[in-house]
Amino acid sequence: MSDSPGATGAGRAALVLGREPHPSSAGVATALAFAFLAADVWSPSGLSTAGTAVLGVRRRWLGPLIRDVLEAYRQPPHDASLELSRVIGATESFRAAVRLADSRGAPLRVLHHKVAESRAREMPGLVPHIDTPADLARLLELSVGDLDWFADAKQWNRRSAVAALHHYRYEWRLRPGRTPRLLEIPETRVRAAQKRLLVEVLGLIPTHDAAHGFVPGRSAVTGASRHTGSDVVVSLDLTTFFARVTGAAVYGTLRRAGLPEAVAYAITGLCTTAAPPRVLSAMPPGGDPDERFALRKALASTHLPQGAPSSPMLANLAIRRLDARLQGWAAAAGGTYTRYADDLAFSGGGQLARRPDAFVRGVQHIVIAEGHTANPRKTRVRRASVKQTVTGVVVNARTNMSRRDVDRLKAIIHNCVLHGPESQNTAAHADFRAHLLGRLSWLESLNPERARTLRTEFRRIEW
């Protein structure tokens, strides 16, 4: 390969004396990765010059190594130095050099570290330019030290036995007859950084069309409306949804969105956590032993915390592949697929209605292959002859509230007019008027005509 003027390097670079005379093989690979990325030209001669400067002499194995690198990367991966170092360390030429050096008792040496100056880069889509963790810290209005502290890359804080060092507050919630749920609530400054990250970065990354939860312009109603008038409606529920979205999945999602390695790594640390042993050991009773074991295992690993403002959007982005596969499976059966958080909904005509059980088995197979599980106790198949619901919305003929709920709301409003609102506030709502208005607004979003009559009646209440 000849030098290509179009394959420019990262600009000027500095040579720094190596601090370790005999670094590990991973350290040598990392030093070579940085040197290659700092090369003036991404070509055999350019990388050879950069590698020789780091090693202090041109090693015989350097040529084959460079050929392997150029075969793997046609262009310099400036935002993926960690990935490049792993590629270098995995090549047979490099591994053979390490084995030979070890057999001679003379480990590989790094004479200099070659470091490139920071360079701007183009990121796809609407995601802003964030080249370094320092850029991310400025965007989040944090110092670099605070970002490192909150991201907890080495997991020192989350492994600490001192609760005051943890960035999350943990609350177990009992669920009668079911496995308990763990709320992981970020402390004030971490939560503020996650909210800003959601607005400035995460919210700009496109989600799959099937996702209707926590997506601007979409809702439970928009998702349910896709299933009206169907011969059959199938619904499933994903278990331990957030806990099963791993840190690795989040990191991969951010890298695919175009964020540099170091930035994606920092965001992953900021938005994921691992439950400390003291929290897991305090799990209250309830649920199936296998489900409890699976939940404890997921929580012990790095995962999205249920309770963080950034988790719903990151979950939507991280399971985009699952959404795509399920949409394809539904389309093959002539059906429609939507998802609202952990609620999966499918609907279709005669083709899907003829073999719903086989269709559900296919869905479960895809869900398991993507690292999740479906709760068999919450799997429902509803035909047009019964009430069909999606995320609590009736969808038989059109989106609607169930007749029972409408009748109950109508009775409450009527009794408020006759006997006063205090007589109907049996649940002791702090703002009963706002509570009723919320229920009216929900009905209005589903059935405006039905809500119009009740709203007229609502105005007759004397507050």
Side-chain angles (χ1 to χ4, degrees), residues 253-276:
T253 297
L254 298 171
R255 291 288 290 131
R256 286 190 294 274
L259 290 164
E261 261 185 348
V263 174
Y265 194 59
I267 292 176
T268 300
L270 180 64
C271 296
T272 62
T273 188

Side-chain angles (χ1 to χ4, degrees), residues 179-198:
T179 304
R181 173 177 293 159
L182 179 64
L183 294 184
E184 299 166 290
I185 305 165
E187 62 97 354
T188 304
R189 293 189 66 198
V190 173
R191 186 177 186 85
Q194 291 170 343
K195 283 184 175 180
R196 189 170 183 85
L197 185 66
L198 176 63

Side-chain angles (χ1 to χ4, degrees), residues 258-324:
L259 290 164
E261 261 185 348
V263 174
Y265 194 59
I267 292 176
T268 300
L270 180 64
C271 296
T272 62
T273 188
R278 66 174 181 83
V279 174
L280 298 177
S281 62
M283 178 188 287
D288 179 85
D290 290 339
E291 291 182 359
R292 291 173 59 85
F293 175 79
L295 175 61
R296 189 179 288 110
K297 182 179 178 181
L299 292 173
S301 303
T302 305
H303 63 276
L304 287 179
Q306 183 168 356
S310 52
S311 290
M313 179 56 75
L314 277 171
N316 279 338
L317 298 172
I319 65 170
R320 186 182 179 93
R321 176 182 163 90
L322 172 62
D323 285 336

Side-chain angles (χ1 to χ4, degrees), residues 75-370:
Q75 298 294 331
H78 288 294
D79 65 340
S81 58
L82 179 60
E83 178 185 293
L84 177 57
S85 68
R86 288 174 177 167
V87 169
I88 291 173
T91 62
E92 180 55 35
S93 53
F94 182 79
R95 294 167 65 184
V98 172
R99 289 195 297 268
L100 180 60
D102 288 344
S103 67
R104 292 176 174 176
L108 299 178
R109 297 184 59 186
V110 173
L111 185 63
H112 295 96
H113 288 286
K114 193 173 185 182
V115 183
E117 291 182 350
S118 177
R119 66 196 295 268
R121 45 185 295 281
E122 293 295 326
M123 296 176 64
L126 300 174
V127 181
H129 289 280
I130 312 174
D131 284 331
T132 65
D135 295 335
L136 177 63
R138 282 192 292 272
L139 181 69
L140 301 180
E141 298 182 352
L142 299 172
S143 68
V144 175
D146 282 342
L147 177 60
D148 287 343
W149 170 254
F150 294 149
D152 192 20
K154 301 297 185 182
Q155 300 189 17
W156 291 331
N157 299 64
R158 63 192 73 177
R159 287 200 303 261
S160 173
V162 182
L165 295 178
H166 298 159
H167 297 317
Y168 290 83
R169 178 166 50 88
Y170 301 93
E171 295 181 6
W172 283 105
R173 294 293 175 88
L174 288 171
R175 299 188 294 173
R178 299 167 61 190
T179 304
R181 173 177 293 159
L182 179 64
L183 294 184
E184 299 166 290
I185 305 165
E187 62 97 354
T188 304
R189 293 189 66 198
V190 173
R191 186 177 186 85
Q194 291 170 343
K195 283 184 175 180
R196 189 170 183 85
L197 185 66
L198 176 63
V199 173
E200 300 289 346
V201 180
L202 303 179
L204 303 179
I205 304 174
T207 58
H208 193 276
D209 290 340
H212 285 261
F214 314 104
V215 179
R218 305 180 203 171
S219 65
V221 179
T222 63
S225 65
R226 301 276 301 277
H227 302 282
T228 56
S230 301
D231 290 347
V232 64
V233 172
V234 179
S235 58
L236 296 92
D237 180 82
L238 300 178
T239 60
T240 58
F241 177 55
F242 290 111
R244 287 183 179 272
V245 180
T246 64
V250 172
Y251 174 80
T253 297
L254 298 171
R255 291 288 290 131
R256 286 190 294 274
L259 290 164
E261 261 185 348
V263 174
Y265 194 59
I267 292 176
T268 300
L270 180 64
C271 296
T272 62
T273 188
R278 66 174 181 83
V279 174
L280 298 177
S281 62
M283 178 188 287
D288 179 85
D290 290 339
E291 291 182 359
R292 291 173 59 85
F293 175 79
L295 175 61
R296 189 179 288 110
K297 182 179 178 181
L299 292 173
S301 303
T302 305
H303 63 276
L304 287 179
Q306 183 168 356
S310 52
S311 290
M313 179 56 75
L314 277 171
N316 279 338
L317 298 172
I319 65 170
R320 186 182 179 93
R321 176 182 163 90
L322 172 62
D323 285 336
R325 293 187 65 181
L326 291 178
Q327 185 181 58
W329 179 248
T336 299
Y337 162 66
T338 63
R339 179 180 57 78
Y340 188 90
D342 55 357
D343 292 324
L344 313 181
F346 305 85
S347 63
Q351 183 181 351
L352 195 155
R354 279 191 293 272
R355 299 188 62 195
D357 293 341
F359 180 83
V360 168
R361 286 195 296 272
V363 171
Q364 293 171 336
H365 175 77
I366 293 172
V367 167
I368 292 172
E370 292 297 324

Side-chain angles (χ1 to χ4, degrees), residues 28-38 42 81-82 84-86 88:
V28 177
T30 299
L32 286 170
F34 279 111
F36 290 166
L37 293 175
W42 188 255
S81 58
L82 179 60
L84 177 57
S85 68
R86 288 174 177 167
I88 291 173

